[in-house]
């Protein structure tokens, strides 16, 4: 049952974004994820911030698993898998990403 004050007007969903820093949307297909000692797994970088990123990848990861993230010619970054839903995974960088690297990725993406 609707409240009297909202019965006749459309109520928009709440815009809840609890992130400390904004995520930058992109689609960079030259990314890869690497488990310890294994070969690189091709991935597409979907969004990124200085603290983490989201990929589309054809592989299964476990929560808490450590991976090495490589995008384009940038230096590899160590990250921890936080979640996976179908073909998308989210990871958090062990050390915050350098802002110059983030800037170059967002400009090229």
């Amino acid at each position: 049952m609707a409240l009297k004050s909202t019965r006749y007007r459309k109520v928009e969903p709440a815009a809840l974004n609890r992130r400390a820093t904004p995520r930058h949307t992109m689609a960079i297909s030259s990314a890869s994820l690497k488990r310890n000692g294994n070969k690189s797994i091709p991935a597409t970088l979907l969004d990124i911030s200085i603290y983490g990123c989201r990929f589309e990848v054809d592989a299964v990861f476990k929560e808490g698993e450590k991976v090495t993230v490589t995008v384009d010619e940038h230096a590899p970054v160590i990250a921890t898998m936080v979640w996976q839903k179908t073909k998308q995974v989210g990871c958090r960088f062990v050390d915050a990403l350098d802002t110059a690297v983030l800037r170059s990725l967002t400009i090229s993406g």
Side-chain angles (χ1 to χ4, degrees):
M1 176 179 216
L3 296 174
K4 246 183 179 178
S5 60
T6 62
R7 187 179 302 161
Y8 300 109
R9 65 182 173 90
K10 185 177 179 183
V11 177
E12 297 296 322
L16 181 61
N17 186 355
R18 299 179 297 184
R19 298 191 187 281
T21 60
R23 289 253 172 166
H24 302 277
T25 304
M26 58 189 53
I28 298 177
S29 59
S30 59
S32 67
L33 301 172
K34 186 175 183 180
R35 294 181 166 122
N36 289 339
N38 291 338
K39 65 179 185 173
S40 294
I41 302 165
T44 301
L45 179 64
L46 299 175
D47 65 33
I48 191 167
S49 76
I50 62 170
Y51 297 115
C53 57
R54 180 171 54 110
F55 289 98
E56 185 172 312
V57 63
D58 286 325
V60 177
F61 293 93
K62 293 180 182 175
E63 187 176 318
E65 185 176 356
K66 298 280 189 204
V67 294
T68 303
V69 174
T70 306
V71 179
D72 291 337
E73 74 284 349
H74 297 285
V77 178
I78 306 297
T80 304
M81 287 297 167
V82 179
W83 58 267
Q84 180 164 14
K85 186 175 182 182
T86 60
K87 291 186 172 188
Q88 292 189 7
V89 295
C91 57
R92 182 170 180 83
F93 300 131
V94 172
D95 297 315
L97 195 62
D98 184 50
T99 53
V101 173
L102 179 66
R103 188 176 306 116
S104 72
L105 286 170
T106 55
I107 290 171
S108 67

